[in-house]
Amino acid sequence: RKEVEQDPGPFNVPEGATVAFNCTYSNSASQSFFWYRQDCRKEPKLLMSVYSSGNEDGRFTAQLNRASQYISLLIRDSKLSDSATYLCAVKDNYGQNFVFGPGTRLSVLP
Amino acid sequence: DTEVTQTPKHLVMGMTNKKSLKCEQHMGHRAMYWYKQKAKKPPELMFVYSYEKLSINESVPSRFSPECPNSSLLNLHLHALQPEDSALYLCASSQVQDYEQYFGPGTRLTVT
């Protein structure tokens, strides 16, 4: 089993739709969690850190479920500019290992 | 300002060449990273420097040699690379090793 797995996608959604991605991790010692977005041929950009209590930033909401070992990202009212690949990243403090998931491609269609 | 800069943006090199990639940040971050990213794949961690000391080497071949001259600069020295080393090389930094990372725009490397 891979350390970090994501919904394979691609997700093709109309503008204004709500879309959710999941990311599962295998190492129960994982302590830090992040969502990044990456546009084609660009660098990953930090979208948000994921806290135990969950966090929200405008149209974006991230949740952490330690019991089931997954994090989620919810995007409300999708915009064309949200089209990108969304990468989750998990850090294991015990092993000091920072691992990205394979990414989920989102296309928001007009 | 969360800017990490990298030079050059593009690099084409032969298998016998020696070249260096450079990364710079002025955010006072004390952890810096090198990643390799192939097309349609996630970034793969290569090296981590924490407080200017090599903290993690993810079993990277010795033809890649990192260097951290000071807390703002990170270099990656390349020698005798193979065509399969062609990729996007990303530098990142974070406040300290456990915190969120900010990426530079990358160097797109082609080995001929």
Side-chain angles (χ1 to χ4, degrees):
Chain A
R1 184 183 171 188
K2 293 182 182 176
E3 285 189 68
V4 181
E5 298 190 73
Q6 294 187 239
D7 294 330
F11 284 61
N12 298 313
V13 303
E15 270 187 288
T18 295
V19 61
F21 307 133
N22 283 327
C23 168
T24 58
Y25 58 94
S26 60
N27 190 339
S28 59
S30 298
Q31 293 292 328
S32 304
F33 309 90
F34 310 93
W35 282 105
Y36 286 79
R37 68 168 281 165
Q38 186 170 25
D39 294 286
C40 188
R41 301 183 70 80
K42 298 282 190 180
E43 75 274 22
K45 290 192 185 294
L46 180 68
L47 192 59
M48 57 202 317
S49 304
V50 187
Y51 306 120
S52 296
S53 55
N55 48 312
E56 186 174 316
D57 183 4
R59 298 182 293 109
F60 298 84
T61 301
Q63 297 278 352
L64 167 63
N65 185 317
R66 285 193 186 275
S68 300
Q69 295 185 200
Y70 75 87
I71 61 173
S72 63
L73 178 68
L74 181 77
I75 305 175
R76 290 181 296 277
D77 188 22
S78 301
K79 312 290 185 191
L80 296 176
S81 57
D82 293 334
S83 297
T85 296
Y86 289 83
L87 298 158
C88 65
V90 176
K91 189 174 183 311
D92 159 21
N93 288 354
Y94 179 74
Q96 299 188 330
N97 195 15
F98 194 95
V99 180
F100 280 90
T104 300
R105 174 107 186 99
L106 171 67
S107 292
V108 181
L109 308 172
Chain B
D1 182 13
T2 55
E3 188 176 69
V4 178
T5 58
Q6 289 186 243
T7 55
K9 288 187 178 179
H10 301 275
L11 178 62
V12 179
M13 61 185 289
M15 288 189 284
T16 58
N17 291 158
K18 285 185 180 180
K19 295 286 184 183
S20 297
L21 309 185
K22 296 186 183 301
C23 174
E24 190 168 6
Q25 57 88 12
H26 292 289
M27 296 176 279
H29 288 177
R30 303 314 300 269
M32 296 186 77
Y33 311 78
W34 279 115
Y35 286 85
K36 174 183 177 180
Q37 187 174 26
K38 302 282 272 187
K40 300 188 187 300
K41 297 288 186 182
E44 292 181 13
L45 185 64
M46 299 175 72
F47 302 105
V48 180
Y49 273 83
S50 179
Y51 290 87
E52 298 156 57
K53 290 188 175 7
L54 184 63
S55 171
I56 295 176
N57 177 341
E58 291 285 6
S59 303
V60 179
S62 59
R63 56 186 184 270
F64 296 91
S65 174
E67 179 197 17
C68 189
N70 60 54
S71 60
S72 301
L73 292 174
L74 186 66
N75 299 323
L76 186 63
H77 302 298
L78 314 173
H79 174 53
L81 294 194
Q82 304 297 311
E84 59 265 28
D85 296 323
S86 299
L88 179 67
Y89 287 84
L90 293 159
C91 173
S93 72
S94 62
Q95 190 173 348
V96 290
Q97 197 166 332
D98 292 350
Y99 283 39
E100 56 266 18
Q101 297 178 24
Y102 297 90
F103 285 82
T107 294
R108 197 161 294 280
L109 173 68
T110 303
V111 182
T112 60

